[in-house]
Amino acid sequence: MAVDMNIQELLVIGDIDLLVHQVQGEWATKNPKILPYLHYVQELKRRFTKIEFRHVPRIQNEFADALATLLSMIQHSDKNYINPIPVMIHNQPVYYAHVEEEVDGKPWFHDIKEYFKRRIPGAYKSHLEKRAPEIVKSLLPQKRELV
């Protein structure tokens, strides 16, 4: 795609250190399955005036993985154009903005924990527990009056 768009300078970021060093020619390639791909990359490198390969640890590459997944789901009629995706970077995790601070200073689960501590046996009954007396009564033999 970069070649089709006539891009002259390219920065390629990868999270597999071995492949980055192999493409740069710093390390030898022993795996015969990778050799055709490596040769193809070497051919592509000649089409750019400047190309740089940089390794980024996988933990720092999660954003790129998410973008790649997102882009793989987008179908666009013009293959040379992709609609821009607005991205906002926050200083804190998103869920942080959705949790209200507790005014009493107790953790969010305090009320739930107290409920289970103080729960009165029988205070909550399932549908079956509520109907159990009726079911048992229906199974018992009925008393009949003699006339």
Side-chain angles (χ1 to χ4, degrees), residues 18 87 108 124 130:
L18 175 66
V87 177
W108 63 268
Y124 172 79
K130 288 177 184 176

Side-chain angles (χ1 to χ4, degrees), residues 50-68:
K50 180 182 177 187
I51 186 165
E52 181 185 342
F53 295 89
R54 191 179 300 164
H55 173 255
V56 175
R58 185 148 188 87
I59 192 80
Q60 295 174 2
N61 205 25
E62 290 174 338
F63 184 68
D65 288 344
L67 278 179

Side-chain angles (χ1 to χ4, degrees), residues 18 20 29 33 37 55 64 70 73-74 123 134 138 143:
L18 175 66
V20 170
T29 306
K33 294 179 182 177
Y37 298 105
H55 173 255
L70 184 61
M73 293 186 277
I74 296 173
E134 295 173 31
S138 69
K143 291 184 183 177

